Amino acid sequence: MTLTGTQAVGAHLSRIEAREKVTGTARYAFEHAPGRDIAYAAPVQAAVARGEVVSVDTGATLTLPGVIAVIWYGNAPRLGPSDDGELALFQSNWVAYRGQIVAAVVAETIETAREAAGQVRIEYRQERHDVVLRADDPTMYKPPKVAPNYPTDTERGDPDTALREAAVSVDLTYTTPAQHNNPMEPHSTVAVWEDGGLTLYDSNQGSSAVRDVLARLFELPPDRVRVIAPHVGGGFGSKLAPHPPVVLAAIAAKVTGRAVKVATTRQQMFSLVGYRTPIIQRVRLGAGRDGGLTAIIHDAFEQTSTVKEFAEQTTTPTRVMYASPNRRTTHRLTALDVPTPTFMRAPGECPGMFALESAMDELAIACGMDPIELRVRNEPALHPETGLPFSSRGLVACLREGAARFGWADRDPTPGVRRDGRRLVGTGVASSTYPVIRRPSQATARVEADGRFTVGVAAADIGTGARTVLTQIAADALRVSPDHVRVEVGDSRLPTAPIAGGSMGTASWGTAVVRACEALLAEMDRSGVRPLEVRVDTADEIASQSRLSRHAFGAQFAEVGVDMDTGEVRVSRMLGVFAVGRVINPKTARSQFIGGMTMGIGMALMEESVMDVEFGDYLNHDFAQYHIAACADVPDIEAHWIDEEDPEINPMGSKGIGEIGIVGTAAAVANAVHHATGIRVRDLPIRLDRLV
Ligand code: MOS
């Protein structure tokens, strides 16, 4: 593959829709108002974690002024068969988790709908629930695969013997709590049925995917469902696939014949749209005195719900990171009476690397080695499990570059000896990785009679700048400047495209955009006709790509100050260096990296959904009690990248950047906390009570 030339690619282009966004004219899902007769639906959520709805008393609610309908299992339309039990809204009276939507009120105003939803009286038959994740739970089982489609377990050599015989070994257990996706824009949908088809203005990470799922649920041909999402205020994975609020909007619109809006409240975000599963991880590492790894064993224990299996791919990064002839990775899962977990920024890689990179730090100390040198010592020549060559592997370059920029050379490894007033100061490092994935996409490229170009692809711009980088990619492929190209995204009527997820959006859509633009130029040369439109599908190109191991790498460095009177941890400096192929837009890329690292600081220090064992639900349901990192928590943060030319990944030479920023961050912070204090915190978040 030859890389496309660059003029626009590599430029610090501001977001194309920046003016619309800052002036408030960019419309988000809930702001769309198709027709005049808008109604609003508000869910009624189950008050028990396991049991049955025995009766729903709708009478009193229906007499309230402005109430149009009360919907529940007893009167809801039947949906088509689905393998996604989470979406089977009102299809049974069974309650599988607390907070599940068991009824809904449709009303003339959102206030009436919410008030009335609070007055619907529901009688339950309650059963005992189990909502606590335990590694030794007898119901733990081996799922057939882990998300999105990886082998559940892998094994090479004889890791148990190698571990037993290792000169140096560690056997460590780490835990990460449930964490909830909290994009700036909560999930919202406006649904309207017209001419027997369904139109959704919906906040999501992929309009083609939402269309396909809703078409199946409502037994419609896919072209009778249209999903429109020009602007989306983030998702972090919870908007990759539809969750119950989307189905609620569609059902409510169908039942009432109105256009119905559903706005998930921040509180409802904590029960209805997924979360990162809590995970218990055991990491065992064996090494020689020189730090060379002889055994790696990484086991993860996770939860899913009883309505749908979601198995996070927690130990998958361990398959890629370090050389060792003997190795094993496993995942075990238990189905609890809880909402279904889902993807949350770098699912798998992020919690998995918290454990592995903490354990590498602990092994470095056990070997008396610098943690960077330990990692360099174990750099594999080939993918350690598949044996495939890497298309490019920039881990060592990132560690070295980061060490130089951060000032690692003079670091005294002794923990607990640097003071700055009441604070103990320490530094830590961790590696990052993320797979380079590309999925088939379609795209159109069109030239108008006046020479302007329009490119269409059902991509999703969730605030990342996707529309902008696709414009840069198209401009270079068409050999014009970006202001001659208009890129249309965010509508399922556009050519079918994969989701904005798995850090694969730009690579997948961009390949299709390049091919469409190339085909258009060729056709223009041949025919000279205008206007002219071509359409491409990259399925064959992607199916026939060479067999290589394709991954992005990075290294995060953190400096922390720990107040030993209060246990307060402040991150005073954070620095990341990434090897991500060609950076298409340094401005939006930097935002992705520092956004990822900021979220990682939140993961390290704050984010924790606390299970209320008695009620069977997460206790903290808002930003007063569920804390995320804000500006004041991140005083000094830098993102850098190394020059990496990789012609084996896609015509742009770019690797995904949406997730790798978060991957090693929590481990870098935890390692810095240990360096500062001598206290190893293996359970996130690093709360005050875990340090004093
Ligand atoms: Mo990401 S968790 O693939 O949106």
Side-chain angles (χ1 to χ4, degrees):
M1 199 183 301
T2 47
L3 299 180
T4 56
T6 63
Q7 296 289 320
V9 165
H12 292 247
L13 201 64
S14 290
R15 280 178 180 72
I16 293 192
E17 73 285 5
R19 180 179 293 270
E20 285 171 76
K21 282 183 171 166
V22 298
T23 56
T25 57
R27 276 213 242 167
Y28 289 78
F30 192 78
E31 297 168 316
H32 288 273
R36 274 161 311 210
D37 60 342
I38 303 282
Y40 299 83
V44 181
Q45 297 178 263
V48 302
R50 183 183 172 90
E52 269 177 359
V53 172
V54 174
S55 68
V56 175
D57 180 358
T58 62
T61 312
L62 281 168
T63 66
L64 293 172
V67 170
I68 301 164
V70 179
I71 306 168
W72 67 292
Y73 165 62
N75 63 9
R78 298 281 77 94
L79 301 174
S82 167
D83 54 2
D84 186 341
E86 194 192 3
L87 300 182
L89 196 62
F90 309 133
Q91 301 305 294
S92 123
N93 63 345
W94 182 249
V95 177
Y97 55 95
R98 193 169 189 268
Q100 181 184 330
I101 300 177
V102 290
V105 175
V106 190
E108 298 290 347
T109 69
I110 193 167
E111 292 81 6
T112 305
R114 286 182 180 163
E115 170 69 14
Q119 296 189 23
V120 175
R121 278 192 301 278
I122 300 185
E123 196 189 323
Y124 300 95
R125 185 183 61 74
Q126 187 171 1
E127 293 190 4
R128 265 180 50 161
H129 57 250
D130 181 3
V131 294
V132 179
L133 176 70
R134 295 181 191 87
D136 62 354
D137 193 320
T139 67
M140 277 284 170
Y141 69 100
K142 178 182 170 184
K145 61 179 172 115
V146 293
N149 202 10
Y150 289 106
T152 307
D153 297 355
T154 60
E155 183 159 348
R156 300 284 182 280
D158 181 355
D160 298 301
T161 302
L163 187 73
R164 221 170 20 247
E165 295 175 351
V168 185
S169 64
V170 293
D171 179 351
L172 304 158
T173 299
Y174 301 90
T175 68
T176 49
Q179 298 156 355
H180 277 80
N181 307 54
N182 271 288
M184 187 106 74
E185 179 201 22
H187 292 231
S188 54
T189 307
V190 186
V192 55
W193 288 82
E194 29 193 16
D195 312 323
L198 173 63
T199 301
L200 299 165
Y201 301 84
D202 178 54
S203 182
N204 63 61
Q205 293 176 241
S207 51
S208 304
V210 174
R211 171 197 64 195
D212 292 347
V213 172
L214 272 284
R216 274 199 299 278
L217 268 183
F218 289 89
E219 302 186 297
L220 294 166
D223 63 1
R224 304 304 302 275
V225 177
R226 183 175 181 193
V227 179
I228 301 168
H231 301 292
V232 175
F236 302 129
S238 65
K239 295 175 185 171
L240 289 169
H243 292 285
V246 182
V247 184
L248 172 60
I251 288 179
K254 187 164 195 177
V255 166
T256 61
R258 304 275 292 264
V260 173
K261 293 192 176 192
V262 170
T264 308
T265 64
R266 186 59 67 185
Q267 288 82 356
Q268 288 162 353
M269 292 287 292
F270 287 81
S271 357
L272 296 178
V273 299
Y275 59 98
R276 196 196 294 281
T277 175
I279 309 171
I280 300 163
Q281 298 180 67
R282 183 177 181 195
V283 181
R284 283 169 282 178
L285 303 174
R289 299 236 168 264
D290 63 348
L293 284 163
T294 53
I296 302 174
I297 306 176
H298 189 171
D299 304 304
F301 302 88
E302 318 163 351
Q303 73 188 34
T304 187
S305 71
T306 62
V307 295
K308 181 183 181 179
E309 183 176 279
F310 179 84
E312 177 148 333
Q313 67 274 37
T314 307
T315 71
T316 55
T318 300
R319 299 171 184 173
V320 180
M321 285 305 297
Y322 301 115
S324 170
N326 305 291
R327 42 200 310 129
R328 182 166 65 235
T329 63
T330 71
H331 299 86
R332 295 295 177 268
L333 194 63
T334 180
L336 301 176
D337 303 310
V338 294
T340 311
T342 192
F343 303 98
M344 182 164 156
R345 203 174 198 170
E349 277 74 17
C350 177
M353 288 291 273
F354 164 67
L356 178 65
E357 292 301 294
S358 294
M360 285 296 280
D361 202 64
E362 301 204 49
L363 181 69
I365 292 166
C367 292
M369 276 180 87
D370 177 80
I372 291 178
E373 297 312 318
L374 177 69
R375 288 170 171 89
V376 173
R377 169 73 182 72
N378 288 291
E379 179 72 356
L382 301 171
H383 186 292
E385 300 204 357
T386 65
L388 291 172
F390 288 94
S391 66
S392 55
R393 183 175 163 115
L395 175 60
V396 172
C398 291
L399 288 163
R400 296 286 187 223
E401 171 91 12
R405 287 181 178 275
F406 188 77
W408 189 263
D410 303 327
R411 180 179 185 263
D412 173 0
T414 316
V417 296
R418 287 151 302 274
R419 278 190 175 273
D420 175 13
R422 297 194 335 186
R423 290 181 176 185
L424 290 170
V425 177
T427 54
V429 65
S431 304
S432 287
T433 191
Y434 200 82
V436 172
I437 310 167
R438 194 165 54 138
R439 294 248 177 95
S441 180
Q442 300 174 6
T444 50
R446 181 181 169 83
V447 61
E448 307 298 342
D450 65 4
R452 284 175 301 118
F453 294 97
T454 307
V455 169
V457 55
D461 190 331
I462 60 174
T464 51
R467 186 184 272 109
T468 307
V469 298
L470 290 177
T471 303
Q472 293 171 270
I473 291 166
D476 282 356
L478 293 164
R479 299 183 216 116
V480 297
S481 82
D483 52 12
H484 284 69
V485 185
R486 207 164 78 86
V487 173
E488 297 180 332
V489 302
D491 187 335
S492 67
R493 289 251 167 106
L494 293 165
T496 294
I499 48 173
S503 297
M504 65 179 163
T506 299
S508 305
W509 312 318
T511 300
V513 166
V514 167
R515 299 308 177 219
C517 292
E518 289 170 347
L520 179 67
L521 290 187
E523 191 57 35
M524 284 166 67
D525 274 351
R526 236 191 327 268
S527 72
V529 175
R530 291 182 185 185
L532 180 68
E533 180 172 295
V534 300
R535 188 185 187 98
V536 299
D537 188 326
T538 61
D540 290 343
E541 173 174 354
I542 288 166
S544 63
Q545 74 183 6
S546 57
R547 277 186 33 88
L548 286 170
S549 177
R550 296 174 171 85
H551 296 266
F553 290 91
Q556 280 94 338
F557 293 75
E559 179 189 81
V560 302
V562 183
D563 186 318
M564 284 317 291
D565 295 324
T566 66
E568 180 190 44
V569 179
R570 305 298 293 188
V571 174
S572 45
R573 285 197 296 145
M574 185 90 220
L575 184 149
V577 180
F578 302 95
V580 290
R582 182 183 284 160
V583 168
I584 292 172
N585 184 328
K587 195 170 190 172
T588 53
R590 178 179 175 276
S591 294
Q592 288 278 51
F593 292 134
I594 66 172
M597 288 190 282
T598 300
M599 202 164 166
I601 290 171
M603 175 184 183
L605 301 179
M606 300 161 206
E607 292 197 44
E608 178 176 27
S609 301
V610 179
M611 179 53 76
D612 181 326
V613 176
E614 190 169 336
F615 284 101
D617 190 4
Y618 290 107
L619 195 61
N620 40 347
H621 275 203
D622 56 40
F623 285 155
Q625 297 182 84
Y626 184 95
H627 292 174
I628 57 173
C631 288
D633 301 305
V634 193
D636 179 352
I637 189 164
E638 289 180 30
H640 302 278
W641 44 90
I642 62 163
D643 289 326
E644 185 176 71
E645 178 133 336
D646 189 335
E648 298 292 343
I649 43 183
N650 60 52
M652 296 79 65
S654 63
K655 297 179 179 178
I657 56 173
E659 287 162 283
I660 192 165
I662 192 174
V663 170
T665 300
V669 172
N671 295 342
V673 166
H674 176 267
H675 186 232
T677 63
I679 300 169
R680 179 63 65 174
V681 181
R682 300 190 185 92
D683 306 288
L684 292 186
I686 304 171
R687 296 192 315 243
L688 315 186
D689 59 291
R690 289 174 167 152
L691 284 172
V692 293

